[in-house]
Amino acid sequence: QGTGAFRPLFEVGEGAREDATSAGVYDSYMTQAMSVYTFANEVEDLSPRVAATPEMKWTDILPVVRRMGATTEKQISVPFDLDFVSLLLRDDLRDAYEKETGSKTPRTWEEFADYTEYWHGKDLNGDGEPDFGICSLNGAGPGGPQAMLMAIASSKLQYQGSMTGTWFELDNPDAVPLFENEAFYQAAELTRRLWMHSIDDQP
């Protein structure tokens, strides 16, 4: 990414922009996903290259991730890394939960919070020590409480799909915030419930 290398994260891509909008000496750039669209006029359509490179296993990349680096006309970037929340349940605990509680595998955030609280404090690995209900929410990393909060809030606020807003009402010229409503309150409470039964259980 040219002179943008080894800069702080918020500056990543600035060197790439300088190169892309001048004579330029680099063939490719690395930048943050949020900045990809600003390069649309300076970079080529990568679709032909993707199609000609089956080794990339392009269809193994989640569709929403592929779209994040594309415009309506062309694929302008190839994703390198993406952080997102993915929930995994142990098969043995899932089966035991259904048998012991009569409840099915969690399908909603509310059910998942119930599931987490059920297992919290029980010995889940046979070492004689109580364990946490969820292995997540430890600190400010990609799996931190802020990521879980936005994952839950998005699923409640964007009930019509990702074309609707998460932070603000997209169709409102006043950019009305989407925080003071029942959906966001529910997301905050669910995040609190999960956090209090996680590895990092301190607010």
Side-chain angles (χ1 to χ4, degrees):
Q1 64 167 21
T3 56
F6 308 111
R7 293 188 179 196
L9 182 59
F10 66 89
E11 293 183 357
V12 169
E14 289 190 9
R17 171 155 306 288
E18 295 170 8
D19 189 79
T21 55
S22 63
V25 295
Y26 297 97
D27 295 323
S28 60
Y29 310 101
M30 180 177 288
T31 186
Q32 294 190 79
M34 67 185 74
S35 301
V36 167
Y37 292 97
T38 65
F39 286 84
N41 296 326
E42 284 80 39
V43 298
E44 69 172 294
D45 182 6
L46 297 178
S47 299
R49 293 182 182 271
V50 170
T53 314
E55 297 85 355
M56 289 184 64
K57 298 183 179 179
W58 186 245
T59 55
D60 283 357
I61 302 174
L62 292 172
V64 65
V65 179
R66 301 197 303 260
R67 290 195 298 270
M68 287 174 64
T71 65
T72 55
E73 293 85 20
K74 59 184 182 179
Q75 186 74 39
I76 58 176
S77 72
V78 174
F80 174 75
D81 175 63
L82 177 71
D83 299 316
F84 60 94
V85 175
S86 179
L87 303 179
L88 304 174
L89 306 180
R90 275 175 46 181
D91 290 344
D92 58 333
L93 296 184
R94 179 201 60 200
D95 295 343
Y97 181 76
E98 293 185 358
K99 182 178 180 180
E100 295 171 15
T101 67
S103 300
K104 296 296 183 181
T105 301
R107 303 283 295 183
T108 66
W109 289 111
E110 287 77 8
E111 293 174 356
F112 182 64
D114 292 340
Y115 180 89
T116 298
E117 291 171 348
Y118 178 80
W119 290 117
H120 187 75
K122 294 181 171 65
D123 180 11
L124 305 180
N125 57 3
D127 65 355
E129 299 291 332
D131 292 306
F132 300 97
I134 179 174
C135 181
S136 182
L137 308 179
N138 49 341
Q146 75 288 346
M148 186 67 76
L149 171 61
M150 292 316 303
I152 298 173
S154 295
S155 67
K156 291 179 173 292
L157 293 168
Q158 296 185 322
Y159 57 88
Q160 294 180 328
S162 59
M163 73 289 296
T164 57
T166 299
W167 299 98
F168 303 98
E169 290 184 13
L170 297 182
D171 296 331
N172 192 307
D174 296 324
V176 176
L178 291 174
F179 302 118
E180 295 184 4
N181 56 66
E182 185 61 26
F184 203 89
Y185 296 153
Q186 290 179 12
E189 171 60 16
L190 286 164
T191 301
R192 185 197 66 79
R193 289 177 63 188
L194 293 171
W195 194 1
M196 292 299 101
H197 298 87
S198 70
I199 293 176
D200 181 16
D201 63 351
Q202 299 302 314

